[in-house]
Amino acid sequence: MAQIIAEVSRTFNEFLLLPNRTRIDCSSATVDLRTPLVRHIDGEASAIELHSPFTSAIMQAVSTPELAIALARNGGLSFLHHNQPVHDQVAAVREVKNFKAGFVTSDTNVRPGDSLGALVDIMRRTGHSTAAVTHDGTATGRLLGLVTSRDFHPERHDLAEPVGGRMTAIADLPTVGPDTTLSEANARLWDERLDCLPVVDADGRLQHLVFRSDYTDNKRFPHQVVDAAKRLRVGAGINTHDYQERVPALVEAGADALCFDSSDGYSDWQAEALTWVKKHYPEIPVGGGNVVDGEAFTFLAEAGADFVKVGVGGGSICITRDQKGIGRGQASAVLDVAAARDAFRERTGAYVPICSDGGLVHDYHVALALAMGADFVMMGRYFARFDQAAGAKVPTRDGFVKEYWGEGSNRARNWQRYGQGGQGLLFEEGVDGYVPYAGDLDEGLALTVAKLRTTMVSCGSATLPEFRSTARLTLVSDQSFQESHANVTLRDAPATHS
């Protein structure tokens, strides 16, 4: 006879937080959102720490290099998806690691023989007014000069004229070497009244451009997650099929953390793969999952997982529960796994962080997940809405939307993630659709973080560990759930006054 778990499988929608006493020293400005990403000895610092408890899902529609850069600058971390050739994933990791705040890879590049008309087209496409003139027209070619929108006028100059006739030649340009720090570059920009400072290597090849206009932009991101060399951190997804080829390449490329991506991580295949990675590359943290109970967490933690993802079937584009009848309400899963994590810590002295992945429909669900024991969350739909995600921005009658598709959909065909008995996706476990467009990640995430901070203040918590240890939760009846929402007729537009 099958074992019946008596506890009801509960979701985040079934809980509310009770407010605790708020101390005078507890305010939104003093809330500390730092949280460990990877395993560490209890009482010691984690080797990798997030400054904000957000990671982006291991999905084609979500974690692009652009989104990874934006999220790391805002204190979180992205895991670049593995449903692509190894060399493409490696290139994506290197793109993030090579990003330097204030050091811009030129995307507006021409050759000296290109026409001014071609330059105008490129500037219109990129929206930038400064172009690098290189011998081959690439961002890393030998730098020959710079040309800006102030060097010519489309209506006064012959657009058939070559760019070389209007550019400022390299001999007349101040440049710096690749070892220059951002502080040194900014000092030269201001001291010498420059708008742009090229960074070139010993062979004269362009590496980056530093703009005066980026100076204040860099001050906007005081909580960036960086490594010892001040490079942004980035994670990468891996699977249990080609990990022996993929892991060495990702480690060499500079990935800061890896994570096995599976709809069901409670398997001997994942345990064997974890053991192999920890044996051959002990320096790289690697996460496991996904799981929904304490038994599965302990299995992966004992196999060497440095963090464990929690959640099966709760994603907004996931239909695993419909197709296979497998899963668990996300609140129940997080509570169960958090208890197992704490028991594992008591028994071994090792703290293995857990990540709530899925079931996060509203911003306040993030607070609930963290209060229930999650160290950080992973989200797909949430990040897919932003400019930096991969999906196309599509106009509709009701406004813009962004494409969003699951890894178990026919569009992704990520058969490596789903054990369906073959080298192919036999049936879908995800859908292909759209999510409302939400603009830039910086602004959207700032709003969510603001809500999280104020929730923690209402619960009398200034840190995430304090939040987990003191939070009080209450179950929500259907009637109290309805009471939570506005029940007045809302204005369509602000009222006008005569």
Side-chain angles (χ1 to χ4, degrees), residues 26 37 82 96 103 119 133 142 163 169 174 188 194 198 215 236 285 331 385 389 427 444:
C26 182
L37 178 76
H82 58 89
V96 180
F103 289 82
L119 174 58
V133 185
R142 191 172 70 258
V163 167
R188 286 201 62 179
L194 306 172
Y215 177 77
R385 304 172 304 148
F427 58 90

PDB file of all heavy atoms in Angstrom, residues 26 37 82 96 103 119 133 142 163 169 174 188 194 198 215 236 285 331 385 389 427 444:
ATOM      1  N   CYS A  26      15.200  49.328  13.665  1.00  0.00           N
ATOM      2  CA  CYS A  26      14.836  48.475  12.525  1.00  0.00           C
ATOM      3  C   CYS A  26      14.037  49.296  11.528  1.00  0.00           C
ATOM      4  O   CYS A  26      12.880  49.649  11.756  1.00  0.00           O
ATOM      5  CB  CYS A  26      14.010  47.281  13.013  1.00  0.00           C
ATOM      6  SG  CYS A  26      13.551  46.118  11.709  1.00  0.00           S
ATOM      7  N   LEU A  37      25.042  31.740  -0.377  1.00  0.00           N
ATOM      8  CA  LEU A  37      24.675  30.974  -1.579  1.00  0.00           C
ATOM      9  C   LEU A  37      25.090  29.517  -1.450  1.00  0.00           C
ATOM     10  O   LEU A  37      24.399  28.620  -1.937  1.00  0.00           O
ATOM     11  CB  LEU A  37      25.319  31.588  -2.826  1.00  0.00           C
ATOM     12  CG  LEU A  37      25.046  30.847  -4.139  1.00  0.00           C
ATOM     13  CD1 LEU A  37      23.617  31.133  -4.613  1.00  0.00           C
ATOM     14  CD2 LEU A  37      26.035  31.226  -5.230  1.00  0.00           C
ATOM     15  N   HIS A  82      21.797  25.576 -19.753  1.00  0.00           N
ATOM     16  CA  HIS A  82      22.679  24.572 -20.367  1.00  0.00           C
ATOM     17  C   HIS A  82      22.065  23.932 -21.599  1.00  0.00           C
ATOM     18  O   HIS A  82      22.683  23.033 -22.194  1.00  0.00           O
ATOM     19  CB  HIS A  82      22.990  23.470 -19.351  1.00  0.00           C
ATOM     20  CG  HIS A  82      21.754  22.792 -18.822  1.00  0.00           C
ATOM     21  ND1 HIS A  82      21.184  21.703 -19.421  1.00  0.00           N
ATOM     22  CD2 HIS A  82      20.964  23.085 -17.764  1.00  0.00           C
ATOM     23  CE1 HIS A  82      20.104  21.338 -18.755  1.00  0.00           C
ATOM     24  NE2 HIS A  82      19.948  22.170 -17.732  1.00  0.00           N
ATOM     25  N   VAL A  96      29.819  37.645 -19.228  1.00  0.00           N
ATOM     26  CA  VAL A  96      29.528  38.233 -17.919  1.00  0.00           C
ATOM     27  C   VAL A  96      30.818  38.506 -17.151  1.00  0.00           C
ATOM     28  O   VAL A  96      30.988  39.576 -16.560  1.00  0.00           O
ATOM     29  CB  VAL A  96      28.605  37.309 -17.101  1.00  0.00           C
ATOM     30  CG1 VAL A  96      28.309  37.925 -15.728  1.00  0.00           C
ATOM     31  CG2 VAL A  96      27.303  37.046 -17.843  1.00  0.00           C
ATOM     32  N   PHE A 103      33.507  49.891 -17.808  1.00  0.00           N
ATOM     33  CA  PHE A 103      34.326  49.504 -18.962  1.00  0.00           C
ATOM     34  C   PHE A 103      33.389  48.862 -19.982  1.00  0.00           C
ATOM     35  O   PHE A 103      32.939  47.737 -19.817  1.00  0.00           O
ATOM     36  CB  PHE A 103      35.422  48.535 -18.551  1.00  0.00           C
ATOM     37  CG  PHE A 103      36.517  49.168 -17.732  1.00  0.00           C
ATOM     38  CD1 PHE A 103      36.355  49.359 -16.370  1.00  0.00           C
ATOM     39  CD2 PHE A 103      37.708  49.577 -18.323  1.00  0.00           C
ATOM     40  CE1 PHE A 103      37.346  49.941 -15.601  1.00  0.00           C
ATOM     41  CE2 PHE A 103      38.713  50.162 -17.566  1.00  0.00           C
ATOM     42  CZ  PHE A 103      38.534  50.349 -16.197  1.00  0.00           C
ATOM     43  N   LEU A 119      27.745  54.541 -41.084  1.00  0.00           N
ATOM     44  CA  LEU A 119      27.910  54.902 -39.671  1.00  0.00           C
ATOM     45  C   LEU A 119      26.603  55.446 -39.090  1.00  0.00           C
ATOM     46  O   LEU A 119      26.225  55.108 -37.965  1.00  0.00           O
ATOM     47  CB  LEU A 119      29.022  55.933 -39.530  1.00  0.00           C
ATOM     48  CG  LEU A 119      29.233  56.524 -38.126  1.00  0.00           C
ATOM     49  CD1 LEU A 119      29.535  55.425 -37.120  1.00  0.00           C
ATOM     50  CD2 LEU A 119      30.335  57.566 -38.154  1.00  0.00           C
ATOM     51  N   VAL A 133      36.652  53.228 -34.478  1.00  0.00           N
ATOM     52  CA  VAL A 133      37.117  52.907 -35.828  1.00  0.00           C
ATOM     53  C   VAL A 133      38.272  51.930 -35.686  1.00  0.00           C
ATOM     54  O   VAL A 133      39.345  52.277 -35.182  1.00  0.00           O
ATOM     55  CB  VAL A 133      37.568  54.169 -36.583  1.00  0.00           C
ATOM     56  CG1 VAL A 133      37.931  53.806 -38.023  1.00  0.00           C
ATOM     57  CG2 VAL A 133      36.482  55.236 -36.560  1.00  0.00           C
ATOM     58  N   ARG A 142      42.214  46.393 -34.072  1.00  0.00           N
ATOM     59  CA  ARG A 142      43.246  47.402 -33.798  1.00  0.00           C
ATOM     60  C   ARG A 142      42.623  48.791 -33.908  1.00  0.00           C
ATOM     61  O   ARG A 142      42.053  49.152 -34.942  1.00  0.00           O
ATOM     62  CB  ARG A 142      44.409  47.250 -34.770  1.00  0.00           C
ATOM     63  CG  ARG A 142      45.637  48.081 -34.392  1.00  0.00           C
ATOM     64  CD  ARG A 142      46.826  47.756 -35.267  1.00  0.00           C
ATOM     65  NE  ARG A 142      46.635  48.245 -36.624  1.00  0.00           N
ATOM     66  CZ  ARG A 142      46.294  47.490 -37.657  1.00  0.00           C
ATOM     67  NH1 ARG A 142      46.102  46.203 -37.505  1.00  0.00           N
ATOM     68  NH2 ARG A 142      46.148  48.015 -38.867  1.00  0.00           N
ATOM     69  N   VAL A 163      34.587  57.183 -43.358  1.00  0.00           N
ATOM     70  CA  VAL A 163      34.659  57.551 -41.942  1.00  0.00           C
ATOM     71  C   VAL A 163      36.048  58.072 -41.588  1.00  0.00           C
ATOM     72  O   VAL A 163      36.196  58.995 -40.780  1.00  0.00           O
ATOM     73  CB  VAL A 163      34.297  56.328 -41.069  1.00  0.00           C
ATOM     74  CG1 VAL A 163      34.676  56.569 -39.614  1.00  0.00           C
ATOM     75  CG2 VAL A 163      32.819  55.993 -41.188  1.00  0.00           C
ATOM     76  N   ALA A 169      42.119  60.580 -35.178  1.00  0.00           N
ATOM     77  CA  ALA A 169      43.046  59.453 -35.311  1.00  0.00           C
ATOM     78  C   ALA A 169      43.630  59.042 -33.964  1.00  0.00           C
ATOM     79  O   ALA A 169      43.693  59.833 -33.021  1.00  0.00           O
ATOM     80  CB  ALA A 169      44.164  59.809 -36.284  1.00  0.00           C
ATOM     81  N   PRO A 174      43.975  60.181 -26.317  1.00  0.00           N
ATOM     82  CA  PRO A 174      44.529  59.613 -25.079  1.00  0.00           C
ATOM     83  C   PRO A 174      43.967  58.212 -24.892  1.00  0.00           C
ATOM     84  O   PRO A 174      42.771  57.971 -25.134  1.00  0.00           O
ATOM     85  CB  PRO A 174      44.023  60.558 -23.991  1.00  0.00           C
ATOM     86  CG  PRO A 174      42.819  61.201 -24.559  1.00  0.00           C
ATOM     87  CD  PRO A 174      43.012  61.259 -26.050  1.00  0.00           C
ATOM     88  N   ARG A 188      41.234  60.429 -15.155  1.00  0.00           N
ATOM     89  CA  ARG A 188      41.705  61.007 -16.422  1.00  0.00           C
ATOM     90  C   ARG A 188      40.567  61.667 -17.180  1.00  0.00           C
ATOM     91  O   ARG A 188      40.744  62.731 -17.783  1.00  0.00           O
ATOM     92  CB  ARG A 188      42.357  59.928 -17.282  1.00  0.00           C
ATOM     93  CG  ARG A 188      43.735  59.512 -16.776  1.00  0.00           C
ATOM     94  CD  ARG A 188      44.551  58.860 -17.865  1.00  0.00           C
ATOM     95  NE  ARG A 188      44.811  59.753 -18.994  1.00  0.00           N
ATOM     96  CZ  ARG A 188      45.519  59.404 -20.065  1.00  0.00           C
ATOM     97  NH1 ARG A 188      46.025  58.172 -20.149  1.00  0.00           N
ATOM     98  NH2 ARG A 188      45.717  60.249 -21.042  1.00  0.00           N
ATOM     99  N   LEU A 194      37.732  64.810 -20.821  1.00  0.00           N
ATOM    100  CA  LEU A 194      37.441  63.872 -21.901  1.00  0.00           C
ATOM    101  C   LEU A 194      36.021  63.338 -21.766  1.00  0.00           C
ATOM    102  O   LEU A 194      35.493  63.214 -20.657  1.00  0.00           O
ATOM    103  CB  LEU A 194      38.427  62.698 -21.865  1.00  0.00           C
ATOM    104  CG  LEU A 194      39.914  63.039 -21.878  1.00  0.00           C
ATOM    105  CD1 LEU A 194      40.743  61.773 -21.646  1.00  0.00           C
ATOM    106  CD2 LEU A 194      40.285  63.675 -23.208  1.00  0.00           C
ATOM    107  N   PRO A 198      39.528  55.335 -24.508  1.00  0.00           N
ATOM    108  CA  PRO A 198      39.685  53.955 -24.972  1.00  0.00           C
ATOM    109  C   PRO A 198      40.711  53.181 -24.137  1.00  0.00           C
ATOM    110  O   PRO A 198      41.723  53.733 -23.705  1.00  0.00           O
ATOM    111  CB  PRO A 198      40.178  54.111 -26.419  1.00  0.00           C
ATOM    112  CG  PRO A 198      39.914  55.543 -26.777  1.00  0.00           C
ATOM    113  CD  PRO A 198      40.032  56.306 -25.492  1.00  0.00           C
ATOM    114  N   TYR A 215      29.976  57.455 -15.136  1.00  0.00           N
ATOM    115  CA  TYR A 215      30.520  57.639 -13.787  1.00  0.00           C
ATOM    116  C   TYR A 215      29.407  57.564 -12.734  1.00  0.00           C
ATOM    117  O   TYR A 215      29.496  56.789 -11.775  1.00  0.00           O
ATOM    118  CB  TYR A 215      31.243  58.986 -13.691  1.00  0.00           C
ATOM    119  CG  TYR A 215      31.783  59.289 -12.313  1.00  0.00           C
ATOM    120  CD1 TYR A 215      32.943  58.678 -11.854  1.00  0.00           C
ATOM    121  CD2 TYR A 215      31.125  60.187 -11.480  1.00  0.00           C
ATOM    122  CE1 TYR A 215      33.431  58.951 -10.587  1.00  0.00           C
ATOM    123  CE2 TYR A 215      31.606  60.463 -10.209  1.00  0.00           C
ATOM    124  CZ  TYR A 215      32.762  59.854  -9.777  1.00  0.00           C
ATOM    125  OH  TYR A 215      33.252  60.116  -8.519  1.00  0.00           O
ATOM    126  N   ALA A 236      26.071  28.827 -13.643  1.00  0.00           N
ATOM    127  CA  ALA A 236      25.766  28.108 -14.882  1.00  0.00           C
ATOM    128  C   ALA A 236      25.055  26.809 -14.543  1.00  0.00           C
ATOM    129  O   ALA A 236      25.420  26.117 -13.587  1.00  0.00           O
ATOM    130  CB  ALA A 236      27.038  27.821 -15.673  1.00  0.00           C
ATOM    131  N   PRO A 285      31.653  25.497  -6.331  1.00  0.00           N
ATOM    132  CA  PRO A 285      30.412  25.122  -5.652  1.00  0.00           C
ATOM    133  C   PRO A 285      29.392  24.617  -6.667  1.00  0.00           C
ATOM    134  O   PRO A 285      29.275  25.152  -7.770  1.00  0.00           O
ATOM    135  CB  PRO A 285      29.937  26.426  -5.007  1.00  0.00           C
ATOM    136  CG  PRO A 285      31.120  27.349  -5.041  1.00  0.00           C
ATOM    137  CD  PRO A 285      31.920  26.950  -6.231  1.00  0.00           C
ATOM    138  N   ALA A 331       4.834  25.898  -0.316  1.00  0.00           N
ATOM    139  CA  ALA A 331       5.008  26.237   1.093  1.00  0.00           C
ATOM    140  C   ALA A 331       5.347  24.995   1.911  1.00  0.00           C
ATOM    141  O   ALA A 331       6.277  25.006   2.743  1.00  0.00           O
ATOM    142  CB  ALA A 331       3.749  26.914   1.629  1.00  0.00           C
ATOM    143  N   ARG A 385       9.990  38.997 -17.652  1.00  0.00           N
ATOM    144  CA  ARG A 385       9.222  40.192 -18.031  1.00  0.00           C
ATOM    145  C   ARG A 385      10.111  41.384 -18.400  1.00  0.00           C
ATOM    146  O   ARG A 385       9.649  42.343 -18.985  1.00  0.00           O
ATOM    147  CB  ARG A 385       8.332  40.618 -16.857  1.00  0.00           C
ATOM    148  CG  ARG A 385       7.403  39.533 -16.349  1.00  0.00           C
ATOM    149  CD  ARG A 385       6.701  39.982 -15.070  1.00  0.00           C
ATOM    150  NE  ARG A 385       7.670  40.362 -14.047  1.00  0.00           N
ATOM    151  CZ  ARG A 385       7.468  41.312 -13.136  1.00  0.00           C
ATOM    152  NH1 ARG A 385       6.337  42.000 -13.133  1.00  0.00           N
ATOM    153  NH2 ARG A 385       8.393  41.593 -12.241  1.00  0.00           N
ATOM    154  N   ALA A 389      15.788  39.992 -20.462  1.00  0.00           N
ATOM    155  CA  ALA A 389      15.496  38.580 -20.718  1.00  0.00           C
ATOM    156  C   ALA A 389      15.449  38.310 -22.221  1.00  0.00           C
ATOM    157  O   ALA A 389      15.383  39.221 -23.042  1.00  0.00           O
ATOM    158  CB  ALA A 389      14.174  38.189 -20.064  1.00  0.00           C
ATOM    159  N   PHE A 427       6.837  14.106 -24.302  1.00  0.00           N
ATOM    160  CA  PHE A 427       5.635  14.894 -24.046  1.00  0.00           C
ATOM    161  C   PHE A 427       6.044  16.144 -23.288  1.00  0.00           C
ATOM    162  O   PHE A 427       7.077  16.186 -22.621  1.00  0.00           O
ATOM    163  CB  PHE A 427       4.586  14.096 -23.259  1.00  0.00           C
ATOM    164  CG  PHE A 427       5.075  13.570 -21.928  1.00  0.00           C
ATOM    165  CD1 PHE A 427       4.943  14.328 -20.769  1.00  0.00           C
ATOM    166  CD2 PHE A 427       5.670  12.318 -21.841  1.00  0.00           C
ATOM    167  CE1 PHE A 427       5.388  13.850 -19.553  1.00  0.00           C
ATOM    168  CE2 PHE A 427       6.125  11.826 -20.624  1.00  0.00           C
ATOM    169  CZ  PHE A 427       5.982  12.597 -19.476  1.00  0.00           C
ATOM    170  N   GLY A 444      12.323  47.319 -11.758  1.00  0.00           N
ATOM    171  CA  GLY A 444      11.383  46.307 -11.283  1.00  0.00           C
ATOM    172  C   GLY A 444      11.861  45.617 -10.022  1.00  0.00           C
ATOM    173  O   GLY A 444      11.089  45.426  -9.065  1.00  0.00           O
TER     174      GLY A 444
END
